[in-house]
Each structure stands twice: as C-alpha cells, then as structure tokens.
C-alpha cells in the first residue's frame, strides 16, 4: 500500500512542473504571435511631422461639409493632409468633397 502511495505522489509531483512548463510555453507563444502581428503592420509613417501637426476633428469636418448642403454623408476617409467626405446629393449624384485636414476648410469637390 505504501508503495502505491509513493508512486502516486511521485506521479503527481512530476505533473506539476510539466503543467508550469506548458503554461510558460503558451505564454511565450502568445508573445511571439503579438510580435508577429506588430511586424505585419509595417513601418511607421515616413513623415513624422504629419502626425504631429494639429488636425481637424472628423466630426467637425462632417458638420462643416453638411452645413448648407442637401443630401447625406456616405463616408469619410483621411488621406494625408486632406480629408475626403463622400456626399450623396438628392437625385443620387455622389461627390467627393476635399477638406484640409489641419484647418477643416473645404477645398473643393470632385
């Protein structure tokens, strides 16, 4: 009976370090996955000054574009120093309205 207990205790003690090793292995694997995801995102933007410049709030840009225009906004996309607001006028005509990203001023419509 004591021999069976001794073997059972030895087996349990052998399993404890194995579970710790597998937990550490999972954690290391998770860290490697995170690093790989960061690598896939690519390098930071070339021009860091563009990121530091004050930018107009997208909500304010949309309100400014919508003021005095009939229709509805379809979407907004920042493109460098400009923000493009896609606008649908009554009748179905769709236009891209260019807005200066820094000042929020409407520059033109395509």
């Amino acid at each position: 009976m004591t021999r069976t207990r001794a073997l059972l205790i030895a087996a349990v003690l052998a399993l404890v370090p194995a579970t710790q090793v597998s937990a550490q292995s999972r954690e290391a694997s998770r860290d490697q996955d995170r690093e790989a995801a960061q690598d896939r995102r690519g390098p930071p933007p070339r021009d860091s000054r563009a990121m530091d410049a004050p930018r107009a709030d997208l909500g304010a840009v949309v309100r400014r574009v919508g003021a005095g225009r009939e229709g509805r906004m379809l979407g907004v996309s920042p493109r460098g120093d400009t923000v493009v607001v896609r606008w649908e006028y009554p009748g179905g005509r769709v236009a891209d309205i260019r807005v200066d990203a820094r000042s929020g001023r409407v520059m033109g419509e395509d």
Side-chain angles (χ1 to χ4, degrees):
M1 188 68 148
T2 57
R3 179 182 255 176
T4 307
R5 274 190 195 161
L7 287 174
L8 182 62
I9 290 172
V12 168
L13 290 176
L15 286 177
V16 171
T19 58
Q20 288 176 348
V21 168
S22 70
Q24 289 174 349
S25 173
R26 283 192 305 266
E27 187 176 311
S29 175
R30 236 181 270 132
D31 291 342
Q32 288 174 349
D33 290 345
R34 286 184 192 134
E35 289 173 4
Q38 287 175 347
D39 290 343
R40 283 190 299 261
R41 289 185 194 132
R46 283 187 236 148
D47 188 7
S48 63
R49 289 176 295 149
M51 298 302 287
D52 296 338
R55 302 184 66 79
D57 177 44
L58 289 180
V61 167
V62 170
R63 283 190 295 278
R64 182 172 284 185
V65 167
R69 281 190 173 81
E70 292 184 23
R72 66 185 181 115
M73 180 194 70
L74 298 177
V76 179
S77 64
R79 296 182 187 169
D81 289 340
T82 61
V83 175
V84 177
V85 179
R86 181 149 290 176
W87 195 263
E88 181 180 20
Y89 289 99
R93 184 174 72 93
V94 176
D96 287 339
I97 301 168
R98 293 182 324 276
V99 180
D100 182 28
R102 292 189 181 133
S103 68
R105 191 176 134 253
V106 176
M107 298 185 328
E109 185 176 316
D110 296 330

